[in-house]
Every structure is written in C-alpha cells, then in structure tokens.
Amino acid sequence: MLSWPNKHNPCYRNFYRCRQTQRCVTSPLAALTFPAGVQLTELRFAFHQDTDQQNTKQKVFRVIPQNDEQVEILNFLASIMEVDFWQPDSVTLVRPKTQVDFRVEAEKSFEVEDLLKENGMEYQVLIDNLQAALDAQFDSRTRTGDHSYEKYNNWDTIAAWTADIAAQNPDLVSRTVIGKTYEGRPMYLLKMGKSGSDKKAIFMDCGFHAREWISPAFCQWFVKEAVETYGKDTVMTTLLDKLDFYVLPVVNIDGYVYTWTNDRMWRKTRSKNAGTTCIGTDPNRNFDAGWCTVGASTSPCSSTYCGSAPESEKETKALADFIREHLSTIKAYLTIHSYSQLLLFPYSYTYSLPPDYQELNSIARAASKELASLYNTEYTYGPGAKTIYLAAGGSDDWAYDQGIKYSFTFELRDTGRYGFLLPESQIKPTCEETLLAVKYIANYVLEHLY
C-alpha cells in the first residue's frame, strides 16, 4: 500500500529534505537510496528516457490549486515522480488559483488521482489516453512525403519546402542559412518582400519549443499566404512592397526532429550538458534578458534549464547574431508558441512595465480582436509576467531590450483540450485567425515606423 503525502507525513512537511535524505514509500522511484552526488532529477530523467515510447494510457491532468498547501502538494508530486508540466512550464511556476496541466506515466496515474482526492483537490483528466491523442493529431494514417499546409510536416519536408518556395517565387522570397544547429542542421531563413531600398523589416520565428507543432505550421502558412495573395490582397501587397519579413520556420530543429523520431513531448534543444546525462536547454530561457534570474532552472535536467550561459545554444546564438546584425532595419519581433491563446509582450523577466506599455497593450488588444473576428477564438493579452508568470531569458524581452519596440509572443490554440497535440483539422482555422492578428500588427508597424 502506498503511503501518500499529507500534512501529517514528515516527508510532506519537508519534501526537499525527503528528496535528499529520507526513504518515503510514495512510489517505487521515491523509495530508492541514491548514491552521493546523484540528483533525483537525473534519475527521474533516465527513467523518463526509458519510457519515452510508452505513451499508452498516459494521462494529462488539470488542477487549480486553491492555496499554498495545494501548491506544495504538486511540488511534492514533482519531487517523487516524473511529471511533465505542460502549463505552466515548470512546477516552480505553480501558484494558487492558477491552472496547471501536467502529464504523468500510465502506471502513476492512479497514484496521482489518489493523492489529489486525499488532499481534496479537484481535478480534470484532459487527456485520458495520450497515445490515442497522439494518433488523433493526424487526420489520416496515410502519410505521404509531400508538403501540405494543412498537415504537420517533418523537418526534411519543411527544409525542402523552403528551397521550393524560394525557387518558385524568386521576386518575393529568398532563402539563406543563418547558422547550424547543435547536430549540424542548417537553419534556413526566408526573406520575403519586393526588392526596394531602405526597407524596414519584421522578424518572425516559429518552433522554439520542439513539441509545439502548430507553431512551425503557422510560419509555413504565413509564407503561403504572402506569396498567394500578393497582388490580390491590398494589405498583404502593401506590406510586402514596403516591408521585408524574415521568417525562421523552425528555431529548434534538432528538438523538432526528435519529436518525430523519439519523443513527441520533447521541448528543449538536443545539446549535451557537461557533467550529466541530461540533454538540452530551453531555448526560450537562453537569451540575455534577466537571464536565469526567475522562472528558469539552473538544473540541466529541468525542462526550463537556462543553459550554461546566455546564448550557449547554437540556435539562439545564430538567431541573436542575425537580429543584432540587422538591428537598424528590424522594427518588430514576433515569436510563435503554443498553447494557451495568449498575446504577450514584455516584460516576462520582471513585473515592471515597459516604457511602451500603453502602445503595446492597445496593439495587443486590437490584434486579439482581429483574431477573434473569424472564429470567435478568445485570446488573453498583456505583459508576460503579469499575464501568466515570471520567466527570464525569453527572446521577446531580449528583442525589446535591443530596441525592437514592437515585440510580441503568440501562444496559439488551444486552451488545453488537446494542448500540444492539436489535431491537423485545426491547423487551417488556427493559421487563418492568427494571420489576421499578424497582419494587423505588421500594418500598425508600417504606419508607425521609428
């Protein structure tokens, strides 16, 4: 019989000490005695690595802790078993009255339910069978190698598409390589716009976090819409005549490949970390913007590991170098993530409001309204820290601090029904509505160049 934590359990009252010194019989993993110097997080990571493919019956739970004690229960849970936090990104960001979505291994789901029930915590099972949800992402089990804007494309297909779209639209699109990933893959950047002198630009990237597949799908959709509607849609034509768009379809290419080949739920890069078997850095905690001060982890085993230094990752360094080299022309920075239906702007590394708060807030409000006009999809907007949580080292804050005033983060559909496993049937409507918001922001930038 498993002994679950409660307020009378000495391990619960001090679970950090329990993690290091005690043998609370709460799960098979928690009962292990660890060699000196070995962290539980490393053992949990190794355990997770061995079970990457065992998705059947894994569950995704949603809870809303009502007080600090219930937050502590979730902390305890994360300390004794492998918990993959979907929202927020880490257990350290869990706060009372805040929605928490997390995934657990199949054999742990009953223990989790017992714990939540015993402590009077209401919960919802968002995804009852992860494998079924993984399968349901794809509209058809028949997959061809052909590129499609309404399907999720693997990296090889996207890479070939970047070459094709540039070759087919030489007056509008060109492709360059801005760097290489840790595993040596070229980072392709598309430049879009009619040739002209002294043009200002907007930079947009997708695929920071590997498992957020709807994100690269949007970057591809945006490029498609640009080339297909140029000369027909007056707003898009004006934008491409007067601005350049730099589009980086996938930032974290190695991680994205890994989600197709090994672990659909992978988030970080795939770089090796010194002194541990734990792999990868969170690329959106790796920028020099309050780096690793809040909402990020110094543990390489954490999903929010900030890296050994700002821009330690080849991918983030390549992106930052390109923006630095083009600071005189880049006037807006848009980064596309999922999920939660949010439109955020700086700051995330501090509760302080940016000097341009009023203007950014009004843009976000209007862009959210544009987005909702198509399918009534509701977005929440505001500065990152105040709207969701403190998180340092993000690319949007970094771009803003570089002087790029119009810096926004999109968190696309949905709000948790499918989470990262958004079905392909939602790619088209998600991209259509997001395009309206991006076009609004781009047009605003064009009318307010600085």
Side-chain angles (χ1 to χ4, degrees), residues 24 66 97-98 104 135 157 262 288 314 321 353 358 387:
C24 303
Q66 296 301 307
K97 311 287 187 183
T98 303
V104 294
D135 295 340
T157 305
N262 292 70
D288 196 5
K314 294 184 75 171
D321 282 347
L353 296 176
Q358 294 294 347
T387 306

Side-chain angles (χ1 to χ4, degrees), residues 1-75:
M1 182 69 181
L2 296 176
S3 167
W4 275 111
N6 56 53
K7 66 184 75 176
H8 306 297
N9 184 326
C11 293
Y12 169 64
R13 289 201 299 271
N14 191 349
F15 65 86
Y16 292 110
R17 190 161 61 89
C18 162
R19 205 180 339 182
Q20 295 164 3
T21 63
Q22 298 183 34
R23 288 169 49 90
C24 303
V25 185
T26 48
S27 82
L29 200 58
L32 295 174
T33 302
F34 307 118
V38 174
Q39 294 185 329
L40 178 60
T41 45
E42 291 193 35
L43 286 173
R44 289 215 318 274
F45 179 86
F47 171 73
H48 181 51
Q49 293 295 86
D50 291 338
T51 56
D52 280 344
Q53 300 306 313
Q54 296 175 12
N55 293 320
T56 306
K57 302 284 185 175
Q58 285 188 18
K59 286 181 168 56
V60 178
F61 290 89
R62 169 170 291 172
V63 298
I64 303 177
Q66 296 301 307
N67 49 45
D68 287 337
E69 186 171 303
Q70 293 191 350
V71 170
E72 288 290 288
I73 291 162
L74 294 179
N75 273 280

Side-chain angles (χ1 to χ4, degrees), residues 61 77 81 102 104 108-116:
F61 290 89
L77 187 70
M81 68 170 67
F102 61 91
V104 294
K108 297 291 189 294
S109 60
F110 294 114
E111 300 174 17
V112 171
E113 293 195 49
D114 285 347
L115 168 67
L116 297 176

